[in-house]
Amino acid sequence: MTESTAARKPRRSAGSKATGTTGTKTGTTAAKTAARTAAKPGATGARTAAKPGATGARTAAKSGSTGAKRTTRTTAAGKGSETELVQLLTPEGERVGTAKNSAYAEYAEYVADITPDELRGLYRDMVLTRRFDAEATALQRQGELGLWASLLGQEAAQIGSGRATREDDYVFPTYREHGVAWCRGVDPTNLLGMFRGVNNGGWDPNSNNFHLYTIVIGSQALHATGYAMGVTKDGADSAVIAYFGDGASSQGDVSEAFNFAAVYNAPVVFFCQNNQWAISESNEKQTRVPLYQRAQGFGFPGVRVDGNDALACLAVTRWALERARRGEGPALIEAYTYRMGAHTTSDDPSRYRHDDERAAWEAKDPILRLRRFLESANHADEGFFGELEAESEALGKRVREVVRAMPDPDRFAIFENVYADGHALVDEERAQFAAYQASFAEAEGV
C-alpha cells in the first residue's frame, strides 16, 4: 500500500463512517438482523474480502507483470476503498514504478541510483540467509537445536529493510529477523546459541546496534520507542527500527508504543512483517482493516509495501528512516509477505492452511524475482551465480560445524546473578539441584 492518508491529504476512510442505514434503523427486526449478519465472520465485508482467493488484501499482493494494481477492498461499512501496494519489481522481475508520475515515485527516488553491484549484494544476502535458515531447520530436526523459527519467504522484507539502516541506527528484532541480523553484521552462528540452549543470546547488542532476540510478543516495540525517545534527548540524528509480525500487532504493547512514539515524535520506524498467519490465526481473524491503516489513528503515516520485493522494501524503509532522522516522527511499514514454512519447528501448518495458498505465494518468491531482474538486465551471469552457490555450501558447512562444537553451558550458571548480594532461597535451590545432578552419577556408578 502507499502512504496512508495521515501523511497526505486528510480524508475520512470508509471504515470510519457509520455502518450504513441498517445500523441506525434499529426500529425494525429486519434492520437488526442485517446489521448482525454483516458483522459475522464470513459475511460480506472486511473479513470476507481478506479470505484467500477473495478480492482484497491478499488479492492485491498477487500482482502480475503490470506491477502493483489498484484494487477495491470491501470494508465493514460496505463501502469500497482504494488499496495499493508499493511495488518496484514484479514477480516476473520487471522494474516498475520508476516514472515521475508514478504513484510510487516518491519511494522509487530512494533506489534511483542503485548500482548493479548493490543489486547483486541484495541477491547474495537473500540467498545466503535462506541457506543459513535451511541449515538451522535441518539441525533442529537432527536434535541439535531445541527450536527454530524459519524466515523462509520473508527474505526480501528483511534484507531490503536491513540494508536501509545506517551503522548508527538501532534495531529491535523479534526472534525471526535472521536476515536483518545478517545485514547488521551479526555472525549467523551466534543466533543459534539461544536455540541450542547454551546462552541467552550470543552477541553483544551494542557491537552491532542489534538488540537480542525478543521472545515476548510485541514488547520490543515499547523498548524501541523508549530508545528512540532517548535518541531525541541525546540530540543524535540516528533512527530506530522495531520489527514485529501481524500477530504482535494485536498486542497492547504495540498500540502503546504507537501512542508514545506519536506523542513524543520519536524517531522510530515500526516494521510489521505481515506473513498472513499469527501461528494458526489468519489475518481476517485479527483485523478488519489493513494493518498499515492503524497508523492513521495515532497520527503518523503508514505504508504497505510488497514484502517479496527487496527493492521496494529497501526504498520504503529508507524513506521512513530518513524522515525519522529529520525529526518528522514515526512511521509504520506493513511488509505484505508470506510465511512459506511453519511458525516454528514445533508447528504443523498443514493443519490450518491449504497447499494451494502456499503455491500461489511460491510464484512470487523474492529470490527468484530478483534473479529474473538481474538476468534480464544483464547485471549478473552464470559465473556470479556459480560462485554464490559455492559460498552458500561453505556457509552451510560452517554452520553445522560450529553448532555441533558449541560447549554445553555451566549447569549452575542459572543460579548466578539472580540477586546482587545472594539469597538464602537461591542457595537452597542450588544445593537441591546439585544433589539432583549427583543422583545421575550415582546411578551410573561413577
Side-chain angles (χ1 to χ4, degrees), residues 8 41 57 145 154 318-319 338 364 381 391:
R8 292 188 174 183
L145 301 178
Q154 299 176 219
R318 280 179 174 175
W319 164 82
Y338 191 76
K364 298 187 284 287
D381 55 20
E391 186 179 5

Side-chain angles (χ1 to χ4, degrees), residues 61 123 247 414:
Y123 182 83
I414 191 174

Side-chain angles (χ1 to χ4, degrees), residues 58-390:
R58 296 194 182 186
T59 307
K62 298 179 180 180
S63 50
S65 59
T66 56
K69 298 179 179 179
R70 296 188 179 187
T71 63
T72 299
R73 176 186 177 93
T74 305
T75 67
K79 301 288 185 178
S81 63
E82 282 191 346
T83 301
E84 293 179 345
L85 190 78
V86 176
Q87 184 185 88
L88 301 180
L89 208 60
T90 71
E92 293 75 24
E94 179 187 354
R95 184 73 181 271
V96 294
T98 57
K100 291 184 178 180
N101 61 349
S102 167
Y104 315 124
E106 64 176 310
Y107 306 113
E109 291 177 3
Y110 288 89
V111 291
D113 58 351
I114 193 168
T115 66
D117 186 57
E118 290 172 322
L119 288 167
R120 288 191 294 270
L122 290 174
Y123 182 83
R124 173 182 176 272
D125 289 340
M126 289 197 292
V127 168
L128 294 181
T129 298
R130 178 172 289 188
R131 178 53 186 268
F132 162 71
D133 182 68
E135 288 296 334
T137 300
L139 285 166
Q140 194 282 329
R141 297 307 189 199
Q142 295 163 15
E144 301 291 348
L145 301 178
L147 187 73
W148 184 248
S150 173
L151 60 61
L152 183 62
Q154 299 176 219
E155 294 88 355
Q158 295 195 15
I159 297 301
S161 62
R163 286 302 178 197
T165 61
R166 289 191 331 205
E167 185 177 352
D168 59 340
D169 293 333
Y170 206 100
V171 178
F172 286 83
T174 63
Y175 46 80
R176 202 188 300 274
E177 274 67 59
H178 320 314
V180 184
W182 174 274
C183 293
R184 299 301 293 179
V186 177
D187 188 321
T189 60
N190 287 342
L191 304 177
L192 301 175
M194 181 177 70
F195 292 95
R196 189 172 171 84
V198 303
N199 59 44
N200 294 318
W203 65 94
D204 178 1
N206 294 323
S207 296
N208 307 80
N209 280 7
F210 185 80
H211 200 268
L212 296 176
Y213 275 2
T214 303
I215 306 300
V216 178
I217 305 300
S219 63
Q220 72 279 4
L222 278 172
H223 305 160
T225 299
Y227 192 96
M229 291 164 63
V231 166
T232 300
K233 291 182 180 296
D234 290 341
D237 70 342
S238 57
V240 180
I241 184 169
Y243 288 85
F244 56 93
D246 50 290
S249 70
S250 298
Q251 294 291 327
D253 284 3
V254 173
S255 290
E256 292 169 8
F258 285 2
N259 193 51
F260 268 94
V263 171
Y264 288 92
N265 204 47
V268 58
V269 174
F270 298 105
F271 195 95
C272 175
Q273 292 177 84
N274 182 355
N275 63 19
Q276 312 304 310
W277 292 93
I279 307 183
S280 59
E281 291 295 310
S282 58
N283 271 186
E284 58 265 27
K285 292 184 178 180
Q286 301 179 66
T287 180
R288 298 192 68 175
V289 298
L291 296 178
Y292 82 101
Q293 290 184 4
R294 292 186 180 181
Q296 297 181 41
F298 294 92
F300 57 86
V303 183
R304 177 181 278 184
V305 63
D306 186 341
N308 284 20
D309 179 354
L311 203 57
C313 289
L314 174 65
V316 171
T317 310
R318 280 179 174 175
W319 164 82
L321 287 170
E322 288 194 16
R323 66 180 301 279
R325 297 186 194 107
R326 292 194 301 266
E328 297 179 22
L332 170 62
I333 299 173
E334 178 192 356
Y336 202 80
T337 182
Y338 191 76
R339 192 193 77 211
M340 296 299 295
H343 173 70
T344 67
T345 46
S346 66
D347 174 44
D348 179 9
S350 67
R351 300 183 64 181
Y352 53 81
R353 68 185 192 190
H354 300 292
D355 290 341
D356 56 351
E357 180 179 302
R358 176 189 165 103
W361 279 90
E362 283 180 343
K364 298 187 284 287
D365 181 82
I367 294 179
L368 179 59
R369 178 185 308 209
L370 185 53
R371 175 163 182 157
R372 286 169 174 166
F373 176 69
L374 290 173
E375 291 176 331
S376 64
N378 294 318
H379 289 331
D381 55 20
E382 289 305 317
F384 166 77
F385 296 117
E387 291 175 4
L388 183 55
E389 179 63 26

